[in-house]
Amino acid sequence: MTTINLHTLIKAPIKEVFNLSRDITFHTKSASKTKEQAIAGKTEGLINLNETVTWRGKHFGVWLKHTSKIIKLESPHKFVDVMIKGHFTYFAHQHIFEEQSGETSMKDILSYKVPYGIFGRVFDKLFLKKHLTSFLITRNEALKISAEKNAL
């Protein structure tokens, strides 16, 4: 299993950051590099507990679909989405938020397993982990810019 841990400090209220993090419309804009679109389930606005979203995006030159479900939501401190259909054998993303001296600490813990045995593990080590980390950093930077702008 591979785990990616990211930490982002955002100068905005926790509720604002929490809601922006689960906003399907915002995610679509922040993931424009991969041309991600929500094509089924919740396709715009705030996703909530037990709701699903199916994403279609272009990664490594291939169009892929990924369906996630929100299995835990504790507003405004945490939500967890898990893959229920897609190209991983396991995929879970924890989003954790804490207030710290007028800022919001946002933590991403993304854990996943790849299929295809040794070939999948080599692909993960050489390409996939870097790609997913870059994808999350880009998303988090867009979220930080938007939340801080709205907080002014």
Side-chain angles (χ1 to χ4, degrees):
M1 176 147 18
T2 304
T3 300
I4 298 168
N5 289 284
L6 293 177
H7 180 239
T8 308
L9 279 175
I10 302 171
K11 295 177 185 171
I14 190 171
K15 190 72 171 173
E16 171 80 18
V17 177
F18 179 81
N19 285 339
L20 200 53
S21 293
R22 57 193 186 95
D23 188 321
I24 302 294
T25 308
F26 176 78
H27 180 83
T28 300
K29 291 176 190 172
S30 70
S32 61
K33 183 178 176 182
T34 57
K35 299 180 173 95
E36 293 224 355
Q37 294 294 315
I39 60 169
K42 184 78 172 178
T43 58
E44 59 185 24
L46 301 181
I47 193 163
N48 288 299
L49 184 62
N50 296 320
E51 291 184 325
T52 64
V53 58
T54 299
W55 296 102
R56 180 176 183 263
K58 198 168 197 176
H59 298 268
F60 302 106
V62 178
W63 287 100
L64 301 172
K65 290 182 185 176
H66 179 101
T67 302
S68 289
K69 180 178 182 177
I70 303 298
I71 62 162
K72 187 172 197 173
L73 192 143
E74 299 169 0
S75 180
H77 298 286
K78 183 177 189 175
F79 70 96
V80 178
D81 62 270
V82 296
M83 181 194 76
I84 57 173
K85 188 174 183 184
H87 294 276
F88 294 88
T89 55
Y90 175 81
F91 187 100
H93 187 176
Q94 296 179 64
H95 309 257
I96 302 166
F97 308 86
E98 297 174 358
E99 280 187 309
Q100 296 179 343
S101 305
E103 295 183 327
T104 299
S105 167
M106 181 176 73
K107 295 177 185 171
D108 290 278
I109 304 170
L110 174 62
S111 300
Y112 62 91
K113 289 182 184 177
V114 294
Y116 310 119
I118 188 70
F119 299 108
R121 290 191 297 278
V122 168
F123 179 74
D124 183 33
K125 295 267 188 234
L126 293 177
F127 305 107
L128 184 59
K129 184 176 182 183
K130 291 175 192 167
H131 174 74
L132 291 173
T133 301
S134 176
F135 181 86
L136 288 175
I137 289 170
T138 299
R139 175 190 172 274
N140 290 355
E141 184 60 28
L143 195 148
K144 177 180 173 73
I145 290 167
S146 183
E148 289 179 350
K149 181 180 172 187
N150 291 342
L152 293 177

